[in-house]
Each structure stands twice: as structure tokens, then as C-alpha cells.
Amino acid sequence: GENVEQHPSTLSVQEGDSAVIKCTYSDSASNYFPWYKQELGKGPQLIIDIRSNVGEKKDQRIAVTLNKTAKHFSLHITETQPEDSAVYFCAASIVSNTGKLIFGQGTTLQVKP
Amino acid sequence: NAGVTQTPKFQVLKTGQSMTLQCAQDMNHEYMSWYRQDPGMGLRLIHYSVGAGITDQGEVPNGYNVSRSTTEDFPLRLLSAAPSQTSVYFCASSYRWRTYEQYFGPGTRLTVT
């Protein structure tokens, strides 16, 4: 089955710096890659996603890139702010009726003011 | 809309006790699922349902039962709690044709002693 590895497990940056979180997946059939942000005491919330037919997608300060050949994808956050501090999860899925999401282990991002 | 709601928020059980974690959504989503979140392991799929009367197993189904009698509700039952089931449990839902865009509830923190 699908396996998703996420690195690093913790990341600390200064406010205004960029942050990059990387994930690799094992199943070449996976074609949908969402990123979730989980704030303390809350459930994960979808922040951006990318399909396998797209190499990059951007939404304001966040962007996601996908390398299908290498089977890895990354989340990029630019001009980080303290409110970006949270746990971030990547996931991989095959778009189908089952909707199974396989999550990475999570990255705790701390943005220091 | 209230979105996805979960009760209780916190629960402490003794080994061998049973309980039901409640999940409800008011978005008319066909797809619902249960995940557990453990430190360093991300979110793992326990059970999911693609519609009323239809359920299936995820990655870690042992020790848990589910049923789906209505579109709105998807309870998770622990028949005989074990310390290994100490975790944070999240319920999620989505439209069947958009199972890749899942909405998560706030979670239930369960401790089994």
C-alpha cells in the first residue's frame, strides 16, 4: 500500500523567512496530494492541494511543487508569520470513490517573532 | 452550518470499558471517515463510509466498529478499550465526488488507563 514519509518533523524559522516541508510517496498510482494545517486543539484544515497533472500550484504565500518522477512533493511558505505556527501534514491519495488519504507523520513549524 | 461536530471532547476510560465516539455533519456529505492521531505517526484511517449503510475498513480497524444508518451520523464504537487505543480521534466528511477535499471535526482526546 501507499506510504508517505514527511521531513523534517520539526522546523523553526524566524518571522519573514521561508519554510519548506518535504514529502515522498511510494505508490506511483497516487494522483492527489493535499496539505493540511492543524492548529493547537483543532482538527486539520486543507490549505492547498495539487494533482498529478500539475507541477506547481501557488496560493498567496504558500506553494506546492510535485515531482512525479522522483515521487516527492513539497510545501513552501514564504514570508512566514507567527500565525503560520502549526503542525502541517502532507497526504497522498488516488482520486476515486474510496477517498482514502494516507498522511505523512507531520511537521511542527514554529515561527519566531 | 455547524460543519463536522464530535462529542465528547475528552474521555477517560478504564481498560475493558466500552464507549461510542459521536460524529455528525450537516453538509449532506456522503463520505465520512474516522482517523486516529498519534505522536510521530500522522493520521491513520480507521474506518470509512461512502454512504448510508456502507462501511469499510481503513489502515487500523482492529478494536473499532462503525455503522452508518443516516447520512449525518457516523459513530465509532470501542467494544473493549485497551491502552493502545489512547489517542486523538478525528472524524472527517466530504462529498462523494470530492473525497479528496475532506473536512475534519475538532477531535476527541481519549485516554485508556
Side-chain angles (χ1 to χ4, degrees):
Chain A
E2 175 65 280
N3 183 53
V4 178
E5 296 288 331
Q6 182 173 347
H7 298 281
S9 57
T10 60
L11 181 59
S12 181
V13 300
Q14 285 296 132
E15 182 177 358
D17 287 350
S18 296
V20 180
I21 303 171
K22 299 181 178 181
C23 289
T24 59
Y25 61 98
S26 61
D27 190 346
S28 56
S30 291
N31 55 8
Y32 174 71
F33 307 92
W35 285 89
Y36 285 81
K37 176 182 180 182
Q38 184 180 26
E39 297 177 342
L40 196 62
K42 297 184 178 180
Q45 184 176 15
L46 179 68
I47 56 172
I48 195 168
D49 55 19
I50 192 168
R51 297 245 197 171
S52 60
N53 58 350
V54 175
E56 183 174 359
K57 184 177 180 180
K58 191 173 182 180
D59 183 5
Q60 299 183 339
R61 296 186 297 107
I62 61 173
V64 58
T65 58
L66 171 66
N67 183 327
K68 284 191 298 182
T69 303
K71 289 193 275 189
H72 66 70
F73 56 111
S74 301
L75 177 71
H76 304 254
I77 306 174
T78 58
E79 300 172 18
T80 54
Q81 302 168 2
E83 52 265 37
D84 294 329
S85 295
V87 180
Y88 291 81
F89 292 98
C90 63
S93 176
I94 301 172
V95 176
S96 68
N97 286 337
T98 65
K100 290 183 183 179
L101 285 173
I102 304 300
F103 284 85
Q105 295 82 359
T107 297
T108 301
L109 173 65
Q110 181 186 26
V111 180
K112 298 177 181 178
Chain B
N1 288 347
V4 180
T5 58
Q6 291 183 238
T7 56
K9 290 187 184 299
F10 302 95
Q11 183 70 50
V12 179
L13 289 178
K14 294 186 187 304
T15 297
Q17 287 185 317
S18 63
M19 81 159 295
T20 299
L21 279 63
Q22 301 292 343
C23 174
Q25 52 89 13
D26 61 357
M27 297 175 282
N28 205 29
H29 285 168
E30 300 92 345
Y31 181 89
M32 297 185 74
S33 56
W34 277 101
Y35 293 85
R36 59 177 289 173
Q37 182 178 21
D38 302 294
M41 302 189 75
L43 292 99
R44 293 180 292 170
L45 182 64
I46 304 171
H47 286 286
Y48 65 97
S49 168
V50 297
I54 306 170
T55 63
D56 205 347
Q57 297 180 348
E59 298 174 80
V60 288
N62 293 341
Y64 308 95
N65 281 350
V66 292
S67 60
R68 183 96 179 270
S69 57
T70 67
T71 300
E72 294 79 18
D73 301 296
F74 191 42
L76 179 71
R77 280 183 287 276
L78 285 71
L79 297 179
S80 180
S84 60
Q85 294 178 305
T86 293
S87 187
V88 182
Y89 292 85
F90 289 99
C91 179
S93 74
S94 72
Y95 289 113
R96 182 166 184 166
W97 64 89
R98 290 180 67 86
T99 52
Y100 44 87
E101 187 174 358
Q102 297 187 23
Y103 295 85
F104 283 80
T108 294
R109 183 174 293 274
L110 175 67
T111 301
V112 183
T113 61

